[in-house]
Amino acid sequence: MARWEPNAAERLARAALDLFSEQGYDDTTVMDIAQRAGLAKSSFFRHFSDKREVLFGGAAMDGLLTEAIATAPPSFTALEAVGRALDAAGREVFTSARRETVLRRRAVIAANPELQEREALKSLSLTASMTKALERRGVPGLTARVAAELGALASAVAIEHWSQTANRSEFGVLARQALHDVQDSMESCSVRAPTPPSART
Amino acid sequence: MARWEPNAAERLARAALDLFSEQGYDDTTVMDIAQRAGLAKSSFFRHFSDKREVLFGGAAMDGLLTEAIATAPPSFTALEAVGRALDAAGREVFTSARRETVLRRRAVIAANPELQEREALKSLSLTASMTKALERRGVPGLTARVAAELGALASAVAIEHWSQTANRSEFGVLARQALHDVQDSMESCSVRAPTPPSART
């Protein structure tokens, strides 16, 4: 099918994002999206299960993260392997060329509770995939879950920073910094602060 | 309004759960739920914004967790305060009297992708509320997020254990154990394992 519909999924995703930004998510139909992309409605449903799904691009991100974790050097700790996954996201998804698209997509999602729900479920599913990828490296179950959750948090923090227009650092740099900060925070959240000198006497 | 509709929200929630279990979520209408509860359809919408919402009981859990964090002793670390929130969930929500209801609710949600999405968003929102409650205690932003995420993970692990019919421990005990295990895992996921003796030579 790709032969007569080159980049159909990508064209549909771009058309959808344009229409959602222009006229709102609720007022855009699948037919509108297909027409804008110059494709038939049936093409849409060959690529996406419903209107929401066009913003969530199938399993690309999932494969990217799990592959990066799988191919990290065997000596890497769970969090170091997760760091490789964030590097891959920076190389392939959160690039300067895709920056504007990513920001528009985030704005469309933020404006619509239905889309926020889909996004929330997708994000749980990415964390679950990272957990499984870590387990396949021999990381024990709970450690894998903790490392995947901390990686997801670092990624969320890095996306927030990367989205700020004032910030022009590369995603990979911001993600590494966020992972580092998350590790520091993780140590401090379970350790009691020393009693201040004034309270000691 | 409560005067002539005592416990309306609770009656509606119980009726909904019964109907969803008996005939499925998709085949149950808001009218069915109201009738089973002996109330008018308009009563339903006074308490819940839509059919899904009836399973998510408003802001009760949110208030419970944030209150427990707010009232934890000032000397408590972020994770210790989160431990108090889990204790409160065990006392008020995951009780042996509510066990069957909780398990049926989980089964209904697991069978329906729409409900899973709402659940995913609710769970993000609970984590965000715990983060804010920790920040109000003076915990720095990222540390608060990390502690709230680890608390959410410990809670998820504890619910999994508590849901197993073979397991008759109280939720509070399981949650404390899970929080302890999560802390151990958190330490091991960032520390490189010692090189095994065979690889050293």
Side-chain angles (χ1 to χ4, degrees):
Chain A
M1 104 196 150
R3 208 168 39 192
W4 63 90
E5 288 179 0
N7 308 318
E10 206 182 297
R11 281 158 61 193
L12 288 162
R14 206 172 327 122
L17 190 53
D18 286 346
L19 287 164
F20 295 163
S21 304
E22 287 163 25
Q23 64 191 39
Y25 171 80
D26 286 328
D27 290 334
T28 302
T29 65
V30 165
M31 180 62 96
D32 295 337
I33 299 168
Q35 278 179 348
R36 174 72 66 101
L39 294 164
K41 191 171 168 183
S42 58
S43 296
F44 184 94
F45 290 109
R46 268 204 292 282
H47 293 281
F48 304 105
S49 57
D50 60 27
K51 188 173 78 166
R52 284 196 275 179
E53 199 58 27
V54 70
L55 279 175
F56 295 95
M61 184 68 141
D62 205 291
L64 189 71
L65 301 181
T66 54
E67 169 77 9
I69 289 172
T71 57
S75 65
F76 271 27
T77 66
L79 272 183
E80 286 169 338
V82 165
R84 286 292 178 98
L86 300 184
D87 291 343
R91 274 194 315 274
E92 306 281 336
V93 180
F94 302 111
T95 61
S96 53
R98 294 193 75 252
R99 184 188 171 90
E100 206 222 333
T101 304
V102 171
L103 298 190
R104 281 169 66 208
R105 178 181 170 279
R106 279 169 64 81
V108 169
I109 292 173
N112 188 295
E114 254 186 60
L115 294 173
Q116 286 166 37
E117 293 189 347
R118 178 73 53 103
E119 174 90 333
L121 192 62
K122 287 278 170 179
S123 127
L124 287 188
S125 142
L126 284 180
T127 306
S129 296
M130 287 200 289
T131 303
K132 283 194 205 99
L134 289 166
E135 284 177 347
R136 285 193 293 270
R137 291 173 62 85
V139 176
L142 189 59
T143 305
R145 279 173 85 166
V146 169
E149 290 288 352
L150 295 174
L153 177 54
S155 171
V157 169
I159 293 172
E160 284 159 24
H161 291 166
W162 185 77
S163 301
Q164 286 157 12
T165 45
N167 199 325
R168 289 291 169 186
S169 302
E170 280 183 19
F171 179 83
V173 173
L174 295 169
R176 287 298 180 155
Q177 183 61 49
L179 201 56
H180 182 266
D181 293 344
V182 162
Q183 281 192 72
D184 278 356
S185 299
M186 164 177 119
E187 280 149 30
S188 70
C189 74
S190 59
V191 176
R192 195 162 291 175
T195 314
S198 62
R200 271 192 209 132
T201 52
Chain B
M1 107 197 150
R3 207 169 39 194
W4 63 89
E5 288 178 359
N7 307 318
E10 206 183 296
R11 281 158 61 195
L12 288 162
R14 206 172 327 123
L17 190 53
D18 285 346
L19 287 164
F20 295 163
S21 304
E22 287 163 26
Q23 64 192 38
Y25 171 81
D26 286 328
D27 290 334
T28 301
T29 65
V30 164
M31 181 62 98
D32 295 337
I33 299 168
Q35 279 179 348
R36 174 74 65 104
L39 294 164
K41 192 172 167 183
S42 57
S43 297
F44 184 94
F45 289 110
R46 266 204 292 283
H47 293 281
F48 304 105
S49 58
D50 60 27
K51 186 173 78 166
R52 284 196 274 178
E53 200 57 27
V54 70
L55 279 175
F56 295 95
M61 185 67 143
D62 206 288
L64 189 71
L65 301 180
T66 54
E67 170 76 9
I69 289 173
T71 57
S75 65
F76 271 27
T77 66
L79 272 183
E80 287 168 339
V82 165
R84 286 291 179 97
L86 300 184
D87 291 342
R91 272 194 316 273
E92 306 282 337
V93 180
F94 302 111
T95 61
S96 54
R98 295 193 75 253
R99 184 189 172 88
E100 206 221 334
T101 305
V102 171
L103 298 190
R104 282 169 66 208
R105 179 182 169 281
R106 280 169 63 82
V108 169
I109 292 172
N112 188 295
E114 254 186 61
L115 294 173
Q116 285 165 39
E117 292 188 349
R118 178 73 52 104
E119 172 90 333
L121 192 62
K122 288 277 169 180
S123 124
L124 286 188
S125 142
L126 284 180
T127 307
S129 295
M130 288 201 288
T131 303
K132 283 194 205 100
L134 289 166
E135 284 176 347
R136 284 193 293 269
R137 291 174 61 85
V139 176
L142 189 59
T143 305
R145 278 172 86 164
V146 169
E149 290 287 353
L150 295 175
L153 177 54
S155 171
V157 168
I159 293 172
E160 285 160 23
H161 291 166
W162 184 76
S163 301
Q164 287 158 13
T165 44
N167 199 323
R168 289 291 167 187
S169 302
E170 279 182 20
F171 179 83
V173 174
L174 296 169
R176 287 296 179 157
Q177 183 60 49
L179 202 56
H180 182 266
D181 294 345
V182 162
Q183 281 194 71
D184 277 356
S185 299
M186 163 179 122
E187 280 150 29
S188 70
C189 75
S190 60
V191 176
R192 193 164 290 173
T195 313
S198 62
R200 268 191 210 135
T201 52

